[in-house]
Amino acid sequence: MNNLDLVVKEKKQVKETGLGDLPGTHKNIVMRFAPNPSGPLHIGHARAAIPNNEFVKKYKGKLILRIEDTDPKRIYEPAYDMILKDLKWLDINPDEIFYQSDRFEIYYEYAKKLIEINGAYMCTCDGGDFKKLKDESKECPCRNNSVDKNLEMWEEFSSMNEGEAVLRVKTDINHKNPAIRDWVAMRIVKDKHPRLGEKYKIYPMMNFSVAIDDHLMALTHVLRGKDHLANSEKQKYLYDHFKWNVPEFIHYGRLKMEDIALSTSKALEGIENGTYSGWDDPRLGTLRAIAKRGIQKETITELITEIGIKMSDSAISWKKIYGLNRNILEEKSNRYFFVPKPVKIAIKGYDDGLKIIERPLHSDYLERGNRHLKFDKEVYISEYDFTNGITRLMDAVNIDIEENSVKYNSKSFEEARDLKARIIQWVPSEDNIKTKIIMDDASVVEGLCEADCKNLKVGDIVQFERFGFARLDEIKDEELVFYFAHK
RNA sequence: GCUCCGGUGGUGUAGUCCGGCCAAUCAUUUUGGCCUUUCGAGCCGAAGACUCGGGUUCGAAUCCCGGCCGGAGCACCA
C-alpha cells in the first residue's frame, strides 16, 4: 500500500518528536550497544546506548548488549559489572548479552573461511613497509600468496610472535581512501586476558569481530559514532566477501560536554593518584557521578533523545542538563532549610518565647504536610545573609541587622513586605543537624539543616530553599552528607 | 598532508532528501511584568539563527559550484 498523501502530511505537518524514523526496514529490528569494558559508562556511552534502546522500544525490536573485550590491553576488569549496573540505572535492559571473548572460535572459523574464498591473506610485512606500499596503492608481496599458502600460515599463526604476521582483509588496493586498503583482521596478542587467560594468542581486530557479530546476530541497524565512518566502509568489504547483506549503518556526531573532557584513562589515573574520590567523583562525566548528584536518568534520556542521531557535532552545557533536570526535580523534591556557614544570632527584644513554626514540605503540594521548626530568641542564619538591613526569617519574624547587633523588628509577613525585607532561611539554635554538601567541583560546603531532615533516606533529593537541589548520599551518626545537583 | 563528513538564535533541535504552506519549530538560556513568605514553577511579554559568495529558478535554509569554519579517520585500539 502506497499512501502518498499520508506521507506528505506526516512530513509537513507532524512535528518530529524524539528520534524520528529509522531508515530501512522497521520490522524485526535488532540493534546493539557494544561498549569496550575499559571503565564505567559515561555520557558518551549514553549517547550510543539510549538511541539504540529507544529505537528498539519504538519498533518492538531486540536490543543486544555486546561487550567488546578483544583487546586485553584495554580492559578494566571491574567495568564488566559496572557497565551492567550503569545500563540498569539508565533503565536499559538488553534482551541478550554477548561477550566477544566467548566467541573467538567463531571468529577463527570465519577467518579461515575468508582465507578459503581468497578474501584475506596472511601478511608478514613490517607495518611501516606495508603502510608505505599501501599509501602508494601498491600490493604487498604477501597479497598474492596462494590460498593454500595462506591456510598453511594460518595454521601456524598461533605459534608466531606478536608482530610477526597479521591476517589482512582484501579490499581495494586502489581505494581512494588509503585507510580502507587491506585492513588487519587478526593479530597476535600475548597479554593475559581477564576472562580468557592465555588460552588464545590470535586476537580479532575490532573491525573483524564486529562485522562478523553484527551479521551473525542479525543486526538490522548499526548505530555508531562518525569516528567509525571509515570502519563501516572497511566492514562493507567483509560483507561483500561473504555475500552478506549490509545492515543500515547510521553515524552520529560527536558530543562535546562542557568541562568534562576527561577520557576514561585520565579518569582512572586521577582515581589512582587520589585526585578523584572514585568513578563517581562529581567532576567526572560518568553516569554514576551524574546519578550521585541527583541528575535523573530521564534527564539524560531526554537530552540524548533531543540531540538525536544526526551527523553534526553537538556541544552540551550543564545549564541545559540542569534545566531539564529541574523540571523533574521541581515536583519531586520537598523543601527544607539549610544554612551554609552558620552564625548564631540572638534577637534582642524578642520575648515571645518558644514557637513551633510550620512550613509546607512543598508549597505546590500542601497535601504532603508540614515540617516543624522550633523558633526562639536564638537561631542560626548564614554568614552570607548576615548583612545590614531588615530581614525576614521565613515564616517567623522580621529582624533588623545592624553591624553586629540583631534587633527584633516586627512579626508579620505584611510588615516585611512593606519594609521590603529580604526573606531568608534559618535553622533553630538547638534542633538542627550538621550537614555537609559536596559541590559539583568537589568542594565542600558545611552548615546546618533543620531537624526534620532526619526523616530523609539516602537517595532522597531535596531542595534546600535558596540554596539548590541536593541528593542525600550518606547518613552518618551526627551528620548528613549531600551531593549538590544544581540551583 | 591525504580521505571523509558536517555548518539553522548563546546552546540543543525541527525543517534540507521531494524548492513555495518558513518574515523558520520547540526546548534550554537571557530578560521585562504579574503572582508567590525561598528558589523554582506558573501566567503574560521580549531578545536571539538559516557560515559566506556566486549560480539555477517566478521563488532557495532547502538544488548546483566555490570559499571559509569546524570535526573525524589515516593503528597489529575500540
Side-chain angles (χ1 to χ4, degrees):
Chain A
M1 200 168 75
N2 200 351
N3 198 333
L4 272 179
D5 273 359
L6 199 78
V7 171
V8 169
K9 244 184 198 160
E10 227 173 340
K11 183 188 157 206
K12 292 295 185 186
Q13 292 178 2
V14 178
K15 191 135 291 152
E16 278 295 348
T17 51
L19 291 163
D21 283 326
L22 229 33
T25 182
H26 292 170
K27 277 191 190 154
N28 301 319
I29 295 291
V30 183
M31 299 181 74
R32 44 68 162 184
F33 173 58
N36 165 255
S38 57
L41 264 27
H42 50 70
I43 297 236
H45 288 109
R47 204 244 190 291
I50 288 170
N52 274 305
N53 188 240
E54 293 297 310
F55 279 126
V56 163
K57 277 200 305 203
K58 175 169 178 177
Y59 298 114
K60 299 190 183 9
K62 183 165 87 173
L63 181 70
I64 289 171
L65 169 65
R66 193 173 65 213
I67 307 289
E68 307 211 324
D69 52 350
T70 53
D71 180 7
K73 292 184 176 72
R74 290 187 32 148
I75 296 172
Y76 175 67
E77 220 178 328
Y80 283 103
D81 284 333
M82 293 172 130
I83 288 171
L84 299 179
K85 285 209 184 86
D86 292 343
L87 278 179
K88 197 159 193 175
W89 179 73
L90 278 174
D91 204 21
I92 294 178
N93 302 294
D95 298 292
E96 292 178 47
I97 302 177
F98 291 101
Y99 295 85
Q100 288 195 311
S101 49
D102 290 338
R103 300 170 61 81
F104 276 42
E105 300 294 343
I106 297 170
Y107 306 136
Y108 294 167
E109 179 192 334
Y110 281 92
K112 195 171 174 188
K113 274 189 199 166
L114 189 63
I115 296 170
E116 284 164 356
I117 59 176
N118 204 10
Y121 58 97
M122 295 297 297
C123 176
T124 52
C125 295
D126 169 79
D129 294 345
F130 180 86
K131 181 174 163 47
K132 210 169 278 173
L133 290 168
K134 177 198 75 173
D135 285 347
E136 292 168 20
S137 283
K138 286 187 184 142
E139 300 188 351
C140 88
C142 313
R143 198 178 204 257
N144 288 312
N145 285 340
S146 67
V147 168
D148 286 343
K149 167 87 175 157
N150 282 321
L151 283 173
E152 200 178 300
M153 287 174 74
W154 170 251
E155 295 308 325
E156 294 163 7
F157 198 15
S158 62
S159 56
M160 293 186 198
N161 285 317
E162 282 189 23
E164 207 176 322
V166 294
L167 180 70
R168 282 187 191 281
V169 175
K170 283 188 182 173
T171 65
D172 178 356
I173 204 70
N174 291 310
H175 196 288
K176 59 184 170 178
N177 185 352
I180 308 296
R181 298 171 196 160
D182 285 18
W183 49 272
V184 175
M186 294 278 186
R187 87 291 202 182
I188 297 295
V189 176
K190 297 234 161 148
D191 285 56
K192 194 170 175 182
H193 188 287
R195 293 184 81 238
L196 301 170
E198 288 169 344
K199 185 174 176 189
Y200 298 107
K201 299 276 178 274
I202 307 172
Y203 276 71
M205 295 295 289
M206 167 264 184
N207 272 312
F208 190 78
S209 49
V210 161
I212 300 293
D213 280 347
D214 284 345
H215 171 74
L216 295 179
M217 296 174 189
L219 273 283
T220 54
H221 300 260
V222 172
L223 185 58
R224 55 179 157 213
K226 69 177 183 185
D227 46 323
H228 287 295
L229 233 24
N231 291 323
S232 296
E233 186 73 19
K234 290 182 188 180
Q235 291 171 24
K236 277 182 193 161
Y237 281 88
L238 202 55
Y239 285 88
D240 284 347
H241 282 308
F242 284 120
K243 307 222 173 345
W244 291 341
N245 288 327
V246 179
E248 294 279 347
F249 290 120
I250 305 158
H251 301 94
Y252 53 78
R254 260 169 53 111
L255 184 61
K256 278 174 290 192
M257 262 305 298
E258 182 187 55
D259 292 341
I260 47 170
L262 273 181
S263 65
T264 299
S265 52
K266 275 268 175 69
L268 178 60
E269 204 183 300
I271 290 166
E272 282 174 347
N273 71 27
T275 307
Y276 302 118
S277 58
W279 286 106
D280 55 5
D281 186 286
R283 288 162 291 183
L284 297 178
T286 58
L287 296 181
R288 49 195 57 209
I290 287 167
K292 200 179 182 77
R293 296 176 48 192
I295 308 292
Q296 306 287 288
K297 64 169 187 285
E298 290 85 355
T299 297
I300 302 301
T301 304
E302 205 174 310
L303 176 79
I304 298 298
T305 304
E306 180 176 325
I307 290 167
I309 51 170
K310 54 177 217 167
M311 190 109 69
S312 48
D313 299 343
S314 313
I316 293 298
S317 68
W318 283 107
K319 268 190 177 169
K320 173 80 179 179
I321 293 178
Y322 295 160
L324 293 174
N325 202 56
R326 189 151 45 224
N327 293 338
I328 299 171
L329 254 34
E330 165 59 27
E331 182 191 334
K332 272 191 182 175
S333 310
N334 287 335
R335 276 53 172 160
Y336 291 95
F337 282 167
F338 164 72
V339 168
K341 273 207 169 191
V343 289
K344 193 187 260 187
I345 58 168
I347 305 162
K348 283 187 202 124
Y350 174 82
D351 39 42
D352 250 9
L354 182 72
K355 294 260 192 276
I356 304 292
I357 306 290
E358 289 200 354
R359 198 169 156 75
L361 284 164
H362 195 306
S363 53
D364 294 337
Y365 302 93
L366 297 176
E367 68 278 10
R368 292 186 194 175
N370 291 325
R371 51 211 163 94
H372 303 86
L373 293 101
K374 289 180 189 158
F375 176 77
D376 207 341
K377 202 179 178 72
E378 288 189 338
V379 297
Y380 283 105
I381 65 171
S382 173
E383 191 183 296
Y384 306 113
D385 291 322
F386 192 58
T387 55
N388 293 346
I390 307 280
T391 301
R392 176 165 180 80
L393 303 180
M394 246 181 256
D395 269 332
V397 300
N398 309 320
I399 58 174
D400 193 355
I401 304 175
E402 217 172 295
E403 298 313 320
N404 278 326
S405 90
V406 178
K407 284 198 302 254
Y408 176 80
N409 180 285
S410 49
K411 173 130 183 58
S412 73
F413 169 65
E414 286 69 26
E415 284 164 298
R417 192 158 53 190
D418 291 344
L419 291 164
K420 293 213 172 4
R422 73 203 145 144
I423 298 167
I424 66 165
Q425 81 280 21
W426 52 276
V427 162
S429 63
E430 300 295 328
D431 220 12
N432 58 49
I433 308 173
K434 251 180 89 184
T435 300
K436 200 191 264 182
I437 301 183
I438 319 288
M439 304 302 286
D440 50 356
D441 62 357
S443 66
V444 179
V445 172
E446 302 201 47
L448 298 169
C449 69
E450 59 177 275
D452 279 11
C453 286
K454 68 178 179 295
N455 299 324
L456 295 170
K457 298 184 300 294
V458 167
D460 283 351
I461 298 170
V462 301
Q463 189 198 50
F464 285 128
E465 304 200 36
R466 294 184 63 231
F467 186 82
F469 293 93
R471 179 184 154 279
L472 180 56
D473 190 65
E474 197 182 349
I475 301 174
K476 293 186 182 170
D477 287 349
E478 298 280 310
E479 188 182 50
L480 300 178
V481 180
F482 289 85
Y483 273 71
F484 185 71
H486 45 77
K487 267 284 187 194

